Amino acid sequence: MSSKKAYPLRINAHVLAAMQRWADGELRSVNAQIEYILREALEKRGRVKLVEKVVVEAFGVAPENRQD
């Protein structure tokens, strides 16, 4: 069961092209690259708890969505 939710995103064509190049350079999909950048920004600004960060990095899922 996936803990991810679909979200439509309107994005400038130039920004999307730049994201595609960046994602290609890091061997990620554009979607994964956007999620990576958003997660990094949240962490940098203290919007994500350290415990959440560790669990997501270790298990790929937020603590509230784990099914232990």
Side-chain angles (χ1 to χ4, degrees):
M1 181 178 200
S2 176
S3 64
K4 296 189 179 215
K5 296 185 180 198
Y7 182 83
L9 176 67
R10 290 187 197 106
I11 190 168
N12 177 285
H14 297 291
V15 173
L16 181 58
M19 291 299 299
Q20 181 68 64
R21 288 190 303 275
W22 190 1
D24 290 347
E26 297 194 9
L27 302 175
R28 291 187 181 107
S29 68
V30 172
N31 188 70
Q33 187 71 14
I34 291 170
E35 187 173 352
Y36 173 81
I37 293 165
L38 288 172
R39 192 178 319 112
E40 191 175 63
L42 288 167
E43 291 168 10
K44 181 178 178 182
R45 288 162 178 80
R47 301 290 184 164
V48 176
K49 295 178 187 171
L50 181 60
V51 172
E52 276 183 0
K53 178 183 172 190
V54 171
V55 171
V56 169
E57 287 176 355
F59 300 101
V61 62
E64 64 273 9
N65 294 325
R66 289 195 59 199
Q67 297 185 9
D68 293 337

